[in-house]
Amino acid sequence: MSVEDIVTAYVTGLPPGVRYERVRVIADGDLVLLHGVVHGDGPVPLVGFDLLRVGDGRIVEHWEARTPVVNQPVGGRSQVDGPVAPTDHDLTAANRALVTGWIDRVLIGGDRSARTEYVSADRYVQHNPEVADGLDGLADAVAAWSAAGRRLRYDAVRQVVAEGDFVFARCEGDFGGPVVFNDLWRVEHGRIVEHWDVIVPAARAADGAGA
């Protein structure tokens, strides 16, 4: 089953009246990640990730994370724009190691002094609608969330999907309550330079799992 066959199977299986706007597709072994916008599944378009596991020529498992499109993001960018097609396929393993190091050492381990070992100090493009660009923008957002009772905490990595310069991770943690973090990072010259994400309550993420 080719990657295009997987995408087609997913899209054609959507309910009547629901339209999928594909933005990115990342494939890694038996896992395929779709990043796009869903139209017609509620009052507003939903941006999100669909992680599919394939076996025996069919989709056998599905994790879904969706959130409403925000029309006035802090950074001025949409939740899906930016580079689309993976590049630097020969660096997939190195980029996977870089991002998992960032998660394990900084996001889970809390070693903020190591941030620039993983993330570019010069250019960190942010697509989270509540966060400004750069490491300072991220730090400011984390402080504001904490002050509002939404302390950001990563606890464990559940899945990682890497292809070329793109690395996606699905992690469990807390953000004012148990959540699942769905993060997509882009790597350039050995540093993370761009980030997209969707955060969903853990209970909703569990409800969305299944074939």
Side-chain angles (χ1 to χ4, degrees), residues 143-207:
W145 291 331
S146 295
R150 292 191 295 165
R151 181 174 175 270
L152 187 75
R153 190 187 78 228
Y154 281 69
D155 293 332
V157 181
R158 291 306 175 208
Q159 283 109 351
V160 175
V161 180
E163 183 182 1
D165 55 339
F166 285 103
V167 183
F168 169 83
R170 185 172 178 271
C171 302
E172 294 178 355
D174 195 274
F175 191 49
V179 297
V180 174
F181 297 102
N182 297 265
D183 294 283
L184 177 63
W185 288 279
R186 188 172 67 84
V187 179
E188 192 174 276
H189 304 306
R191 291 293 185 273
I192 296 168
V193 296
E194 198 158 7
H195 173 245
W196 301 259
D197 71 330
V198 172
I199 304 169
V200 294
R204 201 171 91 204
D207 291 342

Side-chain angles (χ1 to χ4, degrees), residues 68-85:
V69 169
V70 175
N71 293 321
Q72 293 183 318
V74 169
R77 298 181 184 84
S78 85
Q79 290 147 282
V80 295
D81 63 5
V84 172

Side-chain angles (χ1 to χ4, degrees), residues 1-13 22 34 59:
M1 195 176 191
S2 71
V3 172
E4 287 302 320
D5 289 340
I6 294 166
V7 175
T8 299
Y10 172 73
V11 172
T12 56
R22 164 180 167 175
L34 279 64
I59 298 170

Side-chain angles (χ1 to χ4, degrees), residues 32-196:
V32 175
L33 177 75
L34 279 64
H35 187 201
V37 182
V38 177
H39 301 266
D41 191 22
V44 298
L46 301 171
V47 61
F49 295 103
D50 290 276
L51 180 59
L52 311 173
R53 187 169 66 83
V54 180
D56 298 323
R58 63 189 183 93
I59 298 170
V60 296
E61 202 161 6
H62 173 215
W63 297 268
E64 172 187 296
R66 294 177 182 170
T67 192
V69 169
V70 175
N71 293 321
Q72 293 183 318
V74 169
R77 298 181 184 84
S78 85
Q79 290 147 282
V80 295
D81 63 5
V84 172
T87 62
D88 299 330
H89 284 82
D90 57 321
L91 297 176
T92 296
N95 292 338
R96 183 199 305 272
L98 179 79
V99 169
T100 55
W102 159 251
I103 296 170
D104 290 340
R105 186 174 174 188
V106 180
L107 298 182
I108 295 177
D111 185 359
R112 296 181 73 252
S113 67
R115 293 180 304 166
T116 55
E117 294 182 29
Y118 302 97
V119 176
S120 172
D122 301 318
R123 182 167 65 97
Y124 186 38
V125 178
Q126 185 62 252
H127 295 272
N128 182 308
E130 298 183 38
V131 185
D133 286 352
L135 284 169
D136 288 344
L138 176 60
D140 290 345
V142 170
W145 291 331
S146 295
R150 292 191 295 165
R151 181 174 175 270
L152 187 75
R153 190 187 78 228
Y154 281 69
D155 293 332
V157 181
R158 291 306 175 208
Q159 283 109 351
V160 175
V161 180
E163 183 182 1
D165 55 339
F166 285 103
V167 183
F168 169 83
R170 185 172 178 271
C171 302
E172 294 178 355
D174 195 274
F175 191 49
V179 297
V180 174
F181 297 102
N182 297 265
D183 294 283
L184 177 63
W185 288 279
R186 188 172 67 84
V187 179
E188 192 174 276
H189 304 306
R191 291 293 185 273
I192 296 168
V193 296
E194 198 158 7
H195 173 245
W196 301 259

